[in-house]
Amino acid sequence: MSGQQLVDQLFEQAMMYEPTLVLNQEVTDLQREENGLYVLTTHSGDRHFTRTVIIAVGAGTYKIRHLQIKDGYLQEGEHIHYEPMDLSGISGRRVAVYGGLSAAVQRAMALSETAEQVTLIHNREQLNALEEELEALAKSPVIVKKPYTITDVREDEGGRIEVFISDANGRDERLVVDDLVISHGYHFDLEPLKKWGFTFENRRIPVNNKMETKFEGVYAAGDIAGYPNKWRLISSAFTEAITAVNSAKKYLDPSAPSQVYSTFVRK
């Protein structure tokens, strides 16, 4: 079974009881009212009410890692692109790609087929990509500059991007390109959870063997949940999610059975 087939099967199972799905909303606040209800407020201002909450956010919210230059963090613009998925609008142009992971190498290679010129810039000596990707890069027309750090980015009068780079010895260069693609990876943001009052141990919310957090009726499962001798595996996350759901059910209905057994015998 492929990964996509597994996802499709899990989604089909999840839809058996027609749950309400709320997509494209980020929960920014979690508060408990005097009547015991939790209020989840999203970035759009919507409010959702519940007696139990299961937090399964992985290692945190994915946030693009922005490039810091002397004037602060470089903002995305018409010709400055962060982790772009669609590269079709950059064809026939001179492009600089900044990053050293597989994604940066892949983007540089893809652009080399359509762009006028591609320069790949990385701030370390070694690129962290697959061996076959590095072999293909070496045979491609991509210009590789490493280890170089981008120190400043400006837009000239003609709308072109001036990229100022410096190597480990302090030698400076100036590149003029039409577009700058920054593929500097992501980081995990735990700030919203911290604002809700959670404490962390090794970037995880401590839970007990019921997946309970320190807040009554709030549970955690997956990478965000922490306990002694934890294994960070998908199979472990499945078990933690089952435990969290059953614990929430027991919390809502104390008369519910603590354990349900099912057996299937194939003849």
Side-chain angles (χ1 to χ4, degrees):
M1 178 182 295
S2 69
Q4 186 58 52
Q5 289 174 323
L6 175 61
V7 170
D8 292 341
Q9 188 178 83
L10 290 172
F11 182 78
E12 183 179 349
Q13 292 179 14
M15 294 300 103
M16 288 176 59
Y17 299 101
E18 300 181 350
T20 299
L21 298 182
V22 181
L23 306 177
N24 296 320
Q25 289 195 22
E26 180 181 354
V27 177
T28 57
D29 192 26
L30 174 66
Q31 298 288 338
R32 194 182 194 196
E33 298 189 331
E34 293 182 359
N35 60 6
L37 281 179
Y38 283 100
V39 182
L40 289 85
T41 305
T42 71
H43 75 286
S44 61
D46 289 355
R47 305 173 77 208
H48 304 276
F49 299 85
T50 179
R51 288 181 59 196
T52 59
V53 178
I54 298 176
I55 299 174
V57 295
T61 304
Y62 279 102
K63 298 289 186 180
I64 289 176
R65 194 180 299 279
H66 283 73
L67 174 64
Q68 186 170 13
I69 55 179
K70 63 181 183 180
D71 292 331
Y73 287 100
L74 183 66
Q75 300 301 310
E76 190 162 16
E78 183 179 357
H79 300 293
I80 297 174
H81 318 273
Y82 276 97
E83 305 290 347
M85 300 302 295
D86 183 8
L87 303 174
S88 59
I90 314 179
S91 61
R93 303 164 68 87
R94 291 170 298 171
V95 186
V97 178
Y98 186 57
L101 301 175
S102 282
V105 174
Q106 291 169 9
R107 288 187 171 104
M109 291 292 296
L111 286 167
S112 69
E113 299 178 0
T114 59
E116 177 183 335
Q117 183 184 75
V118 179
T119 302
L120 176 63
I121 308 165
H122 184 39
N123 60 2
R124 296 182 181 177
E125 185 61 44
Q126 299 296 325
L127 293 164
N128 190 10
L130 298 175
E131 184 176 348
E132 54 265 33
E133 293 173 341
L134 296 178
E135 291 176 352
L137 178 66
K139 298 175 182 177
S140 75
V142 175
I143 301 169
V144 179
K145 289 187 173 293
K146 58 183 178 67
Y148 275 87
T149 301
I150 293 181
T151 57
D152 199 8
V153 177
R154 303 173 190 170
E155 187 171 355
D156 68 15
E157 295 179 355
R160 295 169 299 184
I161 303 297
E162 295 180 290
V163 182
F164 297 85
I165 61 177
S166 179
D167 70 4
N169 297 316
R171 290 190 294 265
D172 298 325
E173 289 189 35
R174 170 180 167 273
L175 307 176
V176 179
V177 297
D178 298 302
D179 292 88
L180 172 62
V181 173
I182 302 168
S183 187
H184 216 39
Y186 298 82
H187 67 94
F188 296 107
D189 184 15
L190 294 174
E191 288 306 313
L193 297 177
K194 292 178 181 179
K195 293 177 182 177
W196 300 348
F198 287 104
T199 54
F200 292 83
E201 296 178 5
N202 296 322
R203 295 183 60 84
R204 299 190 186 107
I205 299 174
V207 296
N208 61 17
N209 61 356
K210 297 180 181 179
M211 296 294 115
E212 294 174 317
T213 70
K214 70 176 185 179
F215 296 122
E216 182 180 357
V218 180
Y219 308 85
D223 284 346
I224 196 62
Y227 51 85
N229 302 316
K230 176 185 175 75
W231 289 92
R232 296 184 67 181
L233 300 171
I234 293 178
S235 55
S236 302
F238 275 117
T239 302
E240 292 166 7
I242 293 169
T243 302
V245 169
N246 283 306
S247 297
K249 171 62 177 177
K250 190 73 175 175
Y251 173 78
L252 295 171
D253 181 8
S255 65
S258 299
Q259 179 69 59
V260 178
Y261 294 93
S262 62
T263 303
F264 177 76
V265 178
R266 186 184 296 275
K267 296 183 178 180

